[in-house]
Amino acid sequence: MTSDVSRLIWAVVAGLLWLALVGVVAWRVRAAAARAARQARAMAGDDGDQAVVVAHASQTGFAEELAWMTARALTEGGLGVRILPLAELDLATLASTRRLLVVASTTGEGDAPDSAGRFVRLMQAGPIDLSHLAFGLLALGDRAYEQYCRFGHAIGDWLEVNGAQTLFDRVEVDNGEAGAIRHWQHQLNQITGTTTAPDWTPPVYEKWKLVERHHLNPGSPGGEAWHLALAPTDHKPQWTAGDIAEIGLPRPEGQPQLSREYSVASLSSDGRAEFCIRLMTAPDGTPGLGSGWLIRQARIGDEIAMRIRTNRSFHAPPPQAPMILIGNGTGIAGLRSHLKARAEAKAIGGTWLLFGERTRAHDAFYDNELQALLCSGVLTRLDRCFSRDGDETRYVQALVAQHARPLAEWVERGAYIYVCGSLEGMSKGVHAALETVLGEDGLTALSDIGRYRRDVY
C-alpha cells in the first residue's frame, strides 16, 4: 500500500515537472516573439503609416538577416521602419505604405521560399492599385541555377505592373556576393541621406576545431557521406535544432571570402557542431570546393572558420505536438538535430521519421542511434526505403504514398511536417505525394500556419 502511494506521489510530481517544462518552452517562444515585435515597433518611431516597410522572404535565414540590417541602417538614418515577413504584407498594409523595401530569396529553380506562399497567392489574385507606392528590391539567388533570382524578379514585376514606382534599380546578390550587398547599402544611404555609414562587414566567423571525421557509407554505390564534428575553441555558442552553419573556406591572398552552408546535426548542449556531408564532385572528378576541403584536405585539429546562423523557418514545433520528419541522404543531418531536441525536451507528441537512401547495407545512416531512439520511445515510428535494394526502385516519396492513411491521421492530430534533403527529386516528389495525401489546399494551409517546413538544397 505504501509503495502504491509512493508511486502515485512520484507520478504526480513527474507530471507537474513536465507541465512546468512545457510552460517554460511555451513562455520562451512567446517571449522571443514579443521581443521581435517590440523591436519592430521601436524601429517604427513616430512615423506611423509613413514608416518604410521592410519585408523579407527567407528560406535559410539569410534574407531575414539582411532585412534586419536594412531596418537598422534606416533607423540609424533617422527613418521610421516597420519590418515583417513577406507573408504578412497584405492588401491593407500595401494600401497604407508609401515606401517598401523587399529582401527576397529564390530557392532552387526559381521557387519562392516556403514561408512566402500567402504573398504568392496575393500576387495571383488579380490587379490592385499600387500607384502610391515606391519600392526597392534586393533579390538573393545563385547563378548556378538557370532561374536566377526569379522569385525576386516576379515580385518586382508584379509591383510595377500594378503601378508601383522604383526607388532604384533592382539589386541582385549571387550567393551572398559582398559587392552587391554593398551596392544595396549605398542605395539605403541615398534614402537616408547618410554619407558616413560604415560598410556592412562580412560575416564574423568564430574559431572552431575539426575534432572528428569518419566515413559513414564505405562501399556504397552512391557518393561518399561523412560525419564531421567541430568543437568551439574560445567561445560557447548557442543554437537550436534547425539552425544552419556557414563555414568560411580558405581563400588565396586578395580573393573574396567564399562560404558553404550545412545543416547542423547536433545541439549546442552536445558541446560541438556535427554534420553529415556528401563529397561533391565535378564531372571530371574534381572534389567540390567546400566538401572537398572539409573531407579531403582539412586535418583533425585544424582550425575552421564558422558561424551558426539562426534559421527560424526550420525551428522545432512545441514538444507536445506530433512531428513527422521526412528526408533523404545527408538531409538526415537536419532531422537528426530535431530528434535530439525531441529527446532533450522529452517530447510526448510522437515523432515519425520517413527516410530514403541507396542501400540498407551501406547507407542506413546513424542506424544505432535511430534504433535506440525507437527503444526509448522518443522515435515513435521509423520507415525507411533503399532505392538500390530489390528489383523496384523506391524513393522516400513512395513511403508517403504507402502510409497515406496514418500520415493524414497524424496531421489531423496536429502534426508538423519537416522535410530535409535534396531539392531536386526528393523535395519535389515528397511535396507532390503530400499534395495527393492531404490535398493541395490542405498542404498550402499547413504551410501558411507553419506546420509544413523545409530545409532543402
Side-chain angles (χ1 to χ4, degrees), residues 370-386:
L370 297 180
Q371 298 302 328
L373 290 170
L374 274 173
C375 291
S376 69
V378 171
L379 188 55
T380 312
R381 180 168 178 172
L382 173 63
D383 289 284
R384 289 179 289 188
C385 64
F386 298 91

Side-chain angles (χ1 to χ4, degrees), residues 367-451:
D367 185 59
N368 290 339
E369 288 184 18
L370 297 180
Q371 298 302 328
L373 290 170
L374 274 173
C375 291
S376 69
V378 171
L379 188 55
T380 312
R381 180 168 178 172
L382 173 63
D383 289 284
R384 289 179 289 188
C385 64
F386 298 91
S387 61
R388 303 291 180 88
D389 288 349
D391 297 330
E392 181 184 359
T393 299
R394 296 177 75 243
Y395 299 105
V396 69
Q397 52 264 41
L399 293 177
V400 174
Q402 178 183 345
H403 303 296
R405 183 171 180 178
L407 193 147
E409 291 172 349
W410 275 58
V411 171
E412 288 175 4
R413 290 197 294 112
Y416 288 63
I417 301 174
Y418 282 58
V419 180
C420 190
S422 58
L423 174 68
E424 296 301 323
M426 187 281 294
S427 72
K428 294 182 178 179
V430 166
H431 186 88
L434 288 171
E435 282 189 334
T436 300
V437 173
L438 304 173
E440 184 177 349
D441 291 343
L443 190 59
T444 297
L446 284 184
S447 181
D448 285 346
I449 61 177
R451 283 176 51 197

Side-chain angles (χ1 to χ4, degrees), residues 24-37:
V24 168
V25 172
W27 175 81
R28 286 179 175 176
V29 171
R30 289 194 298 270
R35 283 196 299 272

Side-chain angles (χ1 to χ4, degrees), residues 280-288:
M280 306 303 293
T281 55
D284 64 359
T286 304

Side-chain angles (χ1 to χ4, degrees), residues 141-153:
D142 185 339
R143 288 193 185 277
Y145 291 98
E146 184 177 344
Q147 302 293 336
Y148 172 62
C149 290
R150 179 181 175 183
F151 178 58
H153 288 308

